[in-house]
Amino acid sequence: MDGAAGPGAGTAPEALRALSRRLQAQEEEMELVKAALAEALRLLRMRTPDRDGDRDSSLAPPGLPPHCSPALVSRGTQTEPLEDSTPGPGPLSLSNGPPGPRAGGEVPGGAPSEGGSCSSGAGLPGPPGVLRPGQPSARLDTPRRNSSSSSPSERPRQKLSRKAASSANLLLRLGSTESRGGRDPPSSPGGPGSRRSNYNLEGISVKMFLRGRPITMYIPSGIRSLEELPSGLPPTTLNLDWVYGYRGRDSRSNLFVLRSGEVVYFIACVVVLYRPGGGPGGPGGGGQRHYRGHTDCVRCLAVHPDGIRVASGQTAGVDKDGKDQGAFLCVVDDSNEHMLSVWDCGRGTKLAEIKSTNDSVLAVGFSPRDSSCIITSGKSHVHFWNWSGGTGAPGNGVLARKQGVFGKYKKPKFIPCFVFLPDGDILTGDSEGNILTWGRSLSDSRMPGRGGAKETYGIVAQARAHEGSIFALCLRRDGTVLSGGGRDRRLVQWGQGLVALQEAEIPEHFGAVRAIAEGPGSELLVGTTKNALLRGDLAQGFSPVIQGHTDELWGLCTHPAQNCFLTCGHDRQLCLWDGEGHALAWSLDLKETGLCADFHPSGAVVAVGLNTGRWLVLDTETREIVSDVTDGNEQLSVVRYSPDGLYLAIGSHDNTIYIYSVSSDGAKSSRFGRCVGHSSFITHLDWSKDSNFIMSNSGDYEILYWDVVGGCKLLRNRYESRDREWATYTCVLGFHVYGVWPDGSDGTDINSLCRSHNERVVAVADDFCKVHLFQYPCARAKAPSRVFAGHGSHVTSVRFTHDDAYLVSLGGKDASIFQWRVLGAGTVTPSRTPSLSPASSLDV
């Protein structure tokens, strides 16, 4: 029977839930008290037998264990170690594995959970946003595997602004740790003047806060004091060895061949000089040099007429630039008014500046015959600029504009490219697929107040060249012109009078022609819209020399025995890369977005997680799919094989870790169980060295431990996992790595983390386009790091190769892959990839 509920309806269940929560909190408080009392009794029993022989014990105040100086115990709410604290004697024995970010107060000696799957056991009062028993599972607004709506260059700036107002901070260990003996909990029973926190016992844990949520991490028993842990910079450094990819999907006029024979292009914040084939990189591999002086994504290039010097511009600076005989540089910025400026290259001074147009400007350049003539083109316009006053004082130059007249010809929507002919005429390529020839003419109209005729630029010829837009034009040494089409992917050579001489078609999987450069002899270099560089000629065809992804990258894993690695991302491509030959070994269309991957320990198969809850297992040799399974309908964040290869763990955005039994070769799998207990989506996980346990992180900063072999049970007492050793360390939250988090962090600053196989360093991928290298373990707040720039977007993943010789990092929106050589500190940079230093522009 329908009817309105009375005013008291619905309040009773809420009151019961509140009472239940209070009861659970009180029960856990009692467990805490019981554990402390038990510890006090144990310590008293330890002191009784040798009371006479242990004279140092009499010096300690009540409640302290023997051999413990009062300086090693924190009092009250002190968060910093006391100044006179000294580490206890003995070698440092550090086993990796102790975190725990639940608000719950599990304590040493507490009974572990007996059930299989269980919800998170947070019962103590906590700050807003902390989930408590009885509340529905919820997910914090913490983006991880999803694309950012802001541009790559703006995302770090927005996050930096948020940092200034963030109340999140890191706290050092609550109380220094006293000397320990045996395997018993090394806690203080809470003597006079000592107080316990709601979330940890003093002397056995550290705590940090992210977005107001406390994260407790237990200290391994082998560590007596944080001061014993290594500090300072890591013993190794990184040198950029190779950059995979080319920015062709949204950039133009970005491919040139220098006098040295090197090809210059850019991707992310790096300008790359690449020598194709036969170079020091090995057969067909070539060699690379890199300029990494930019602080944001590079968007334009110009080469000096001497073929040696290069000018490059980054985001918010220029869109394409050109030069006259080398004395001046013209630049168009990306502001709403697209300011056109002329610069003295030698002095670095601005000679003239003017608003060009409110429409998009796609190309700009000096006439090679007349340094006073500048041309810009873009959305529905071709502008001819006359520049004077270049030898005067800075800022005194004058720029005067004349607009190209289309007359009887249809005005195209875009004019992406142009080229100067030897006779002074100009060819433009437009979005209608036409090549227009422009020349000077005298108009019949008179200039007001003047007797001379007004000079204009008009179209003198038109040729139908391509189906769809023309993206590139290139003048060859023999006087012929090359044009590259977008929709038809054709590369056409034109003779005098725009007569077609020869053509070739670029294969569809490489995309459309974006840029053309002339190499030695008849060789051509072609950049494509799918971020590939092709090498060849019109007669023999083209083959790739540089390839890359075309959209945001997230998935990365390295082979367990070979120098190769696998990547996947939003472009739905799964790619295996040869790290020795610096080349793409193979690629496969996944048909869906790939977000994570991991090799089986045998290397025979690889598991790939997709954004639909589906995961695949592929044979790495045949590329055949040997398993295709779906778990839930939400995206998968992490897949990870156990060290013995008998299990596969799959972390999902439905808050569950799915466990599968795997055959010895990895080809067959069957459901073993589920780890249920996280209150937000899974972000990272690692297996223990014995393949029995899992440590996992979630989107709301939980650190949980699971007994997989024992039935996928949640280990409620996280303290008991403090000494467990982990085969890998990729969880971003944990005692051994909590020092990598910066002050004021909001919990999304670190996207990925990876410990080296020799357990000496840990690499970190942050949200501000940087790769960091820390010493491992990194368990001291504000730990120093070596910082490496180059990516132009948030760095999404880092992984060491099997022998720790290289580190691979992925850029998010910039779709770049960096391969870093791992070097000992102070090692001389190999001559194979020498760095470049800027001159007035880029002196190579």
Side-chain angles (χ1 to χ4, degrees):
M1 177 171 123
D2 296 334
T11 59
E14 294 178 2
L16 288 175
R17 283 195 292 270
L19 289 173
S20 176
R21 288 195 295 268
R22 291 181 58 186
L23 179 61
Q24 184 171 351
Q26 291 172 357
E27 289 176 350
E28 294 189 358
E29 288 277 4
M30 291 301 298
E31 290 291 335
L32 193 68
V33 173
K34 291 178 182 177
L37 291 175
E39 178 65 9
L41 292 174
R42 185 188 66 82
L43 293 174
L44 288 173
R45 285 195 297 270
M46 290 174 59
R47 294 178 60 182
T48 301
D50 56 349
R51 181 179 302 169
D52 297 334
D54 191 357
R55 297 183 179 180
D56 293 337
S57 302
S58 62
L59 301 178
L64 291 184
H67 311 293
C68 179
S69 167
L72 294 181
V73 178
S74 67
R75 298 174 63 85
T77 57
Q78 178 176 330
T79 59
E80 294 285 343
L82 300 180
E83 293 182 358
D84 59 346
S85 62
T86 55
L92 173 63
S93 174
L94 180 61
S95 58
N96 33 316
R102 303 178 93 56
E106 75 269 48
V107 297
S113 171
E114 296 181 358
S117 301
C118 59
S119 60
S120 52
L124 298 179
V130 178
L131 294 177
R132 303 181 179 90
Q135 289 181 325
S137 176
R139 301 178 188 180
L140 299 183
D141 186 15
T142 307
R144 276 293 169 193
R145 290 291 193 265
N146 297 324
S147 302
S148 172
S149 59
S150 59
S151 67
S153 60
E154 290 183 358
R155 182 176 180 185
R157 299 191 188 106
Q158 294 170 353
K159 289 183 68 65
L160 285 172
S161 298
R162 294 199 302 268
K163 293 295 177 296
S166 175
S167 61
N169 56 13
L170 298 180
L171 295 181
L172 289 176
R173 168 189 183 176
L174 295 179
S176 300
T177 311
E178 59 270 15
S179 301
R180 302 174 182 177
R183 296 183 299 172
D184 297 313
S187 61
S188 167
S194 178
R195 293 198 301 269
R196 291 187 300 272
S197 166
N198 284 335
Y199 303 101
N200 73 314
L201 293 176
E202 292 187 27
I204 64 171
S205 65
V206 292
K207 182 186 292 187
M208 62 184 287
F209 286 82
L210 291 176
R211 289 189 174 179
R213 162 162 281 197
I215 303 173
T216 303
M217 293 160 283
Y218 292 103
I219 302 173
S221 60
I223 301 176
R224 291 171 295 276
S225 170
L226 291 185
E227 286 71 27
E228 291 183 352
L229 297 176
S231 61
L233 292 172
T236 56
T237 186
L238 302 177
N239 179 61
L240 187 56
D241 179 68
W242 198 264
V243 176
Y244 298 84
Y246 152 83
R247 185 161 185 167
R249 70 185 190 276
D250 59 357
S251 299
R252 50 184 53 81
S253 300
N254 57 359
L255 179 64
F256 302 93
V257 178
L258 304 180
R259 181 179 296 178
S260 64
E262 292 174 299
V263 180
V264 59
Y265 59 94
F266 59 78
I267 183 172
C269 301
V270 180
V271 179
V272 181
L273 277 75
Y274 167 65
R275 184 181 296 277
Q288 282 186 354
R289 295 193 289 159
H290 311 104
Y291 174 69
R292 293 195 289 133
H294 283 284
T295 58
D296 214 326
C297 289
V298 183
R299 296 302 305 273
C300 52
L301 285 177
V303 176
H304 193 279
D306 62 13
I308 298 175
R309 284 173 286 177
V310 177
S312 57
Q314 67 181 55
T315 294
V318 280
D319 204 59
K320 191 268 177 189
D321 40 16
K323 292 186 177 182
D324 63 342
Q325 295 306 312
F328 307 111
L329 177 72
C330 60
V331 174
V332 176
D333 70 19
D334 202 25
S335 66
N336 291 335
E337 296 180 337
H338 298 95
M339 301 299 294
L340 169 64
S341 56
V342 179
W343 297 74
D344 185 316
C345 292
R347 300 177 182 176
T349 57
K350 186 187 298 183
L351 302 178
E353 185 176 41
I354 192 173
K355 171 186 174 181
S356 62
T357 177
N358 288 330
D359 294 324
S360 299
V361 178
L362 303 179
V364 61
F366 276 104
S367 168
R369 299 180 47 172
D370 183 1
S371 61
S372 66
C373 177
I374 301 173
I375 296 180
T376 61
S377 70
K379 184 177 180 180
S380 302
H381 76 271
V382 178
H383 291 162
F384 301 84
W385 301 84
N386 185 68
W387 171 58
S388 60
T391 58
N396 288 343
V398 177
L399 286 164
R401 184 182 74 181
K402 297 177 182 178
Q403 188 162 338
V405 178
F406 287 88
K408 64 180 181 180
Y409 298 95
K410 178 183 177 181
K411 180 184 288 190
K413 187 175 181 179
F414 290 99
I415 302 174
C417 55
F418 61 81
V419 67
F420 294 94
L421 296 180
D423 60 5
D425 287 343
I426 299 162
L427 299 182
T428 62
D430 61 40
S431 55
E432 303 296 324
N434 297 321
I435 297 178
L436 303 178
T437 304
W438 297 77
R440 296 187 179 185
S441 61
L442 294 178
S443 174
D444 293 336
S445 62
R446 301 289 178 176
M447 291 288 289
R450 297 185 182 182
K454 178 182 178 182
E455 187 179 51
T456 61
Y457 292 82
I459 300 172
V460 297
Q462 173 180 283
R464 181 68 173 173
H466 293 270
E467 294 294 330
S469 183
I470 299 174
F471 285 161
L473 291 172
C474 174
L475 178 66
R476 304 195 69 175
R477 289 184 291 266
D478 60 7
T480 60
V481 174
L482 291 170
S483 65
R487 185 185 305 170
D488 60 13
R489 307 187 313 281
R490 291 166 54 237
L491 197 63
V492 184
Q493 182 178 15
W494 304 88
Q496 290 187 351
L498 291 179
V499 176
L501 303 178
Q502 196 175 7
E503 68 175 67
E505 184 174 326
I506 303 300
E508 183 177 3
H509 61 275
F510 292 127
V513 177
R514 176 63 79 186
I516 309 169
E518 189 176 22
S522 62
E523 183 179 278
L524 297 174
L525 278 299
V526 178
T528 74
T529 56
K530 290 191 176 180
N531 293 356
L533 285 182
L534 311 180
R535 181 185 180 192
D537 56 43
L538 295 175
Q540 302 297 323
F542 296 86
S543 58
V545 291
I546 296 290
Q547 291 178 267
H549 285 271
T550 59
D551 208 342
E552 187 169 1
L553 293 176
W554 280 100
L556 169 66
C557 62
T558 53
H559 195 279
Q562 302 174 14
N563 187 13
C564 61
F565 56 93
L566 188 141
T567 58
C568 58
H570 288 205
D571 62 359
R572 304 182 177 186
Q573 295 295 309
L574 181 69
C575 299
L576 181 68
W577 304 90
D578 178 2
E580 292 291 340
H582 300 134
L584 178 65
W586 53 258
S587 65
L588 181 70
D589 187 357
L590 294 173
K591 309 297 184 184
E592 297 176 18
T593 298
L595 296 176
C596 50
D598 192 40
F599 281 100
H600 187 269
S602 67
V605 297
V606 62
V608 183
L610 308 179
N611 67 330
T612 58
R614 180 171 165 237
W615 55 274
L616 311 174
V617 177
L618 297 94
D619 188 300
T620 55
E621 292 294 331
T622 64
R623 289 172 256 174
E624 294 181 357
I625 297 177
V626 297
S627 184
D628 186 339
V629 183
T630 299
D631 284 307
N633 56 4
E634 298 198 42
Q635 65 186 51
L636 304 180
S637 304
V638 54
V639 293
R640 189 62 53 84
Y641 283 101
S642 61
D644 60 10
L646 299 181
Y647 296 99
L648 173 64
I650 300 160
S652 172
H653 267 229
D654 65 6
N655 307 355
T656 304
I657 301 174
Y658 298 91
I659 306 296
Y660 281 79
S661 297
V662 180
S663 60
S664 59
D665 59 357
K668 297 180 180 179
S669 59
S670 60
R671 172 76 71 84
F672 179 81
R674 298 189 311 156
C675 298
V676 179
H678 272 293
S679 53
S680 186
F681 56 89
I682 314 301
T683 59
H684 307 83
L685 66 84
D686 291 291
W687 284 90
S688 60
K689 290 185 177 180
D690 59 11
S691 298
N692 292 334
F693 301 92
I694 283 178
M695 169 175 60
S696 58
N697 292 169
S698 62
D700 58 352
Y701 321 124
E702 290 180 322
I703 309 173
L704 298 186
Y705 300 91
W706 310 88
D707 181 357
V708 175
V709 177
C712 299
K713 294 180 180 179
L714 172 65
L715 300 177
R716 187 178 295 274
N717 189 351
R718 291 177 293 128
Y719 176 79
E720 295 182 347
S721 297
R722 71 195 187 283
D723 289 331
R724 190 157 286 124
E725 296 187 349
W726 303 100
T728 59
Y729 213 117
T730 60
C731 286
V732 298
L733 295 172
F735 171 78
H736 294 76
V737 296
Y738 88 92
V740 307
W741 286 88
D743 273 346
S745 175
D746 67 357
T748 64
D749 296 337
I750 295 178
N751 297 315
S752 177
L753 177 152
C754 182
R755 184 193 65 194
S756 61
H757 295 88
N758 60 20
E759 302 187 12
R760 297 179 61 194
V761 295
V762 58
V764 170
D766 75 12
D767 225 30
F768 305 101
C769 316
K770 300 297 189 296
V771 174
H772 299 256
L773 209 58
F774 291 87
Q775 193 164 189
Y776 181 87
C778 186
R780 303 182 73 169
K782 301 180 183 179
S785 68
R786 302 186 191 274
V787 184
F788 305 92
H791 285 289
S793 178
H794 53 291
V795 186
T796 57
S797 188
V798 285
R799 289 292 184 270
F800 286 95
T801 55
H802 71 100
D803 56 0
D804 291 333
Y806 296 95
L807 176 75
V808 181
S809 61
L810 301 185
K813 288 289 189 179
D814 63 26
S816 63
I817 305 172
F818 287 7
Q819 180 174 313
W820 307 83
R821 184 183 294 273
V822 181
L823 305 172
T827 303
V828 178
T829 301
S831 59
R832 172 172 172 170
T833 56
S835 60
L836 302 173
S837 58
S840 57
S841 53
L842 172 59
D843 191 351
V844 296

